[in-house]
Amino acid sequence: MYEVEVKVAADLAAVAERLDELSATQTGDVVQVDTYYDAPHREFAETDEALRVRRETRDGETAARITYKGPLVEAESKTREEYETAVGDGETADTIFERLGFEPAATVRKDRRFYRYDGYTVTLDAVEGVGEFVEVETETDESGVEAAREGAFAVLRELGLDPENQTRTSYLGMLLENA
Amino acid sequence: MYEVEVKVAADLAAVAERLDELSATQTGDVVQVDTYYDAPHREFAETDEALRVRRETRDGETAARITYKGPLVEAESKTREEYETAVGDGETADTIFERLGFEPAATVRKDRRFYRYDGYTVTLDAVEGVGEFVEVETETDESGVEAAREGAFAVLRELGLDPENQTRTSYLGMLLENA
């Protein structure tokens, strides 16, 4: 399974208004606090991998999960393999990775508002210390990557955004650049 | 939190009979299938650490968890730091560790029957390809390790077992020795 995701900087208030006009379905609000880890045996910045422990709070309930992101398989749309599973206790997951020699590299905090529109998930992200962004994403198998990317571009245009402005830098990357 | 655990080879049928005589409380049966990983950057056999993904089946339901075990802090009773958390999906946890460069080293399968007796958990283990063992264990803070170990020895004696016969080798270690 591949995650196809296109992201552009945007004024969230204007995009939210446009989504209302398009009758997109708002599907929820969450707060995500993501701890990214450095590996003891690889330079993730060079191998283009990421290991993350995420705490997500929705309706007052916090859940944690661990995620591994592999290197880009399709650079244009930031497509990469992703493996994620819930964990019972985020602090214990943090401790296990730290005992194994992984070190917390940075923490990304963001408020996210999700919409469904035309088969895509549209996410309005306010990222602490970084800025405001819109992500348009979907999942596909390998053969559907190109079509999914074109569809994501079309959604961006409908939202009054220019796919040419897409940012391929992760929030983690932006945060580290700002540091 | 420290896990104090004493283990001896035993005839499980005889020990089960003795536990019944002592009116110990039988608290459940499980099947555990444990995958142990080798690290890409450390020799766990030398650092005396372990990383495990466990599948446990109880009453037909299977749950998975990940566990890190640190080096021994008290050799006599095999006391070590242990961090464990449930994971939503064991296969995904396996894949995350494999993508990070950890490699499956061995799989330990065992049937376990648990009892509570005198503040301790007494476990009757039938370990595939290894043999039959009784473990007596409890958790304590650092200051209680010595008393907890003496208490575990007393429980073993009540079960007709000799603490002098304690085995400090893990089932993983025994399995690898037999290989």
Side-chain angles (χ1 to χ4, degrees):
Chain A
M1 190 58 64
Y2 292 89
E3 177 189 80
V4 173
E5 173 190 305
V6 183
K7 177 170 68 187
V8 299
D11 175 330
L12 295 188
V15 173
E17 201 171 306
R18 183 71 187 131
L19 283 161
D20 285 344
E21 288 167 11
L22 292 167
S23 302
T25 311
Q26 194 186 312
T27 55
D29 285 297
V30 301
V31 177
Q32 290 176 344
V33 180
D34 296 343
T35 303
Y36 287 88
Y37 283 87
D38 282 338
H41 59 304
R42 290 182 197 165
E43 197 62 58
F44 280 166
E46 285 169 19
T47 59
D48 189 26
E49 299 167 277
L51 174 65
R52 179 180 74 195
V53 177
R54 167 168 288 177
R55 273 92 170 162
E56 183 169 285
T57 305
R58 187 189 294 260
D59 300 329
E61 297 280 319
T62 299
R65 50 193 202 260
I66 56 175
T67 308
Y68 167 83
K69 295 191 181 212
L72 287 182
V73 293
E74 209 268 320
E76 184 77 11
S77 62
K78 291 187 49 195
T79 306
R80 52 178 82 244
E81 277 193 307
E82 182 170 321
Y83 297 97
E84 183 166 86
T85 181
V87 291
D89 185 79
E91 280 65 40
T92 302
D94 284 324
T95 303
I96 290 172
F97 286 124
E98 287 173 27
R99 286 294 199 276
L100 290 172
F102 293 78
E103 291 186 359
T107 299
V108 177
R109 292 179 182 79
K110 59 182 173 298
D111 290 291
R112 318 194 84 178
R113 174 160 290 182
F114 298 108
Y115 294 82
R116 279 303 286 178
Y117 181 68
D118 200 19
Y120 286 81
T121 299
V122 178
T123 309
L124 277 50
D125 283 340
V127 189
E128 198 175 299
V130 176
E132 296 187 345
F133 298 85
V134 171
E135 283 189 356
V136 176
E137 71 182 277
T138 193
E139 290 191 338
T140 181
D141 59 21
E142 196 166 3
S143 68
V145 166
E146 178 62 19
R149 187 170 66 84
E150 287 303 324
F153 286 0
V155 170
L156 281 172
R157 286 185 204 101
E158 286 193 79
L159 297 176
L161 300 168
D162 186 350
E164 294 286 315
N165 292 337
Q166 95 164 267
T167 305
R168 294 191 181 80
T169 309
S170 66
Y171 296 138
L172 173 63
M174 294 179 198
L175 191 74
L176 295 176
E177 280 169 14
N178 290 0
Chain B
M1 190 57 66
Y2 292 88
E3 177 188 80
V4 172
E5 173 189 306
V6 183
K7 178 169 67 185
V8 300
D11 175 330
L12 295 189
V15 174
E17 201 171 306
R18 183 73 186 128
L19 283 161
D20 285 344
E21 287 167 13
L22 292 167
S23 302
T25 310
Q26 193 186 312
T27 56
D29 284 299
V30 301
V31 176
Q32 291 177 342
V33 180
D34 296 343
T35 303
Y36 286 88
Y37 283 87
D38 282 338
H41 60 303
R42 291 182 196 165
E43 198 61 59
F44 280 166
E46 285 169 20
T47 59
D48 189 26
E49 299 167 276
L51 174 66
R52 179 179 75 194
V53 178
R54 166 170 288 178
R55 273 92 171 162
E56 184 170 286
T57 304
R58 188 189 293 261
D59 299 330
E61 297 280 319
T62 299
R65 50 194 202 260
I66 56 176
T67 307
Y68 166 84
K69 294 191 182 214
L72 288 182
V73 294
E74 211 267 321
E76 185 77 11
S77 63
K78 289 187 52 195
T79 306
R80 50 179 82 245
E81 277 193 308
E82 181 170 323
Y83 296 97
E84 181 166 87
T85 180
V87 291
D89 185 79
E91 280 66 40
T92 302
D94 284 324
T95 303
I96 289 172
F97 285 123
E98 288 174 27
R99 286 295 198 276
L100 290 171
F102 293 79
E103 291 185 1
T107 298
V108 177
R109 291 178 183 79
K110 61 183 172 297
D111 290 290
R112 318 194 84 178
R113 174 159 290 182
F114 299 108
Y115 294 81
R116 278 305 283 179
Y117 181 69
D118 201 19
Y120 286 81
T121 300
V122 178
T123 309
L124 277 51
D125 284 339
V127 189
E128 196 176 299
V130 177
E132 296 188 346
F133 298 86
V134 171
E135 283 190 356
V136 176
E137 70 183 276
T138 192
E139 290 191 337
T140 180
D141 60 20
E142 195 165 2
S143 68
V145 166
E146 180 62 18
R149 189 170 65 85
E150 288 303 325
F153 286 0
V155 170
L156 281 172
R157 285 185 207 103
E158 286 194 78
L159 297 176
L161 300 168
D162 185 349
E164 294 285 316
N165 292 337
Q166 98 164 266
T167 304
R168 294 193 181 79
T169 308
S170 66
Y171 297 137
L172 173 63
M174 294 180 197
L175 190 74
L176 295 176
E177 280 170 14
N178 290 0

